[in-house]
Amino acid sequence: MERQAFVQDVQQRIAELIRSSPAADLERNVKAMLAQTFQRMDLVTREEFEVQLETITRLRRRVEALEARLAGEAERPG
């Protein structure tokens, strides 16, 4: 038997063994528990994080510009 075919056969047999054993139930339960935990943690995707980061960066620049403008007006006599 060719090495690659042997490895695939072993992988298939292990997968079948896991599917027919309590390990499959354990895997499903762990996945469900992790999904529930992640939901409670109120996580965001990387894309959502990047969008919020860009928004905050733009707002920070606007605040800095307004602060500089106010500081310039405060320095003017009048």
Side-chain angles (χ1 to χ4, degrees), residues 1-65:
M1 183 183 290
E2 184 181 318
R3 181 183 174 127
Q4 185 177 6
F6 174 76
V7 171
Q8 288 176 347
D9 184 52
V10 170
Q11 288 175 337
Q12 182 180 359
R13 287 175 189 234
I14 290 172
E16 289 173 12
L17 180 64
I18 290 173
R19 278 194 295 270
S20 63
S21 73
D25 290 335
L26 180 63
E27 181 182 6
R28 281 192 295 275
N29 290 339
V30 169
K31 284 183 180 180
M33 181 187 68
L34 288 174
Q36 192 175 42
T37 300
F38 290 148
Q39 273 185 329
R40 273 190 264 133
M41 292 175 73
D42 199 24
L43 300 175
V44 297
T45 64
R46 183 67 183 183
E47 183 180 341
E48 292 169 321
F49 176 80
E50 293 294 335
V51 168
Q52 291 301 315
L53 186 60
E54 288 175 22
T55 302
I56 289 169
T57 301
R58 274 184 294 150
L59 289 173
R60 182 178 294 138
R61 287 185 193 129
R62 290 177 67 185
V63 167
E64 289 170 355

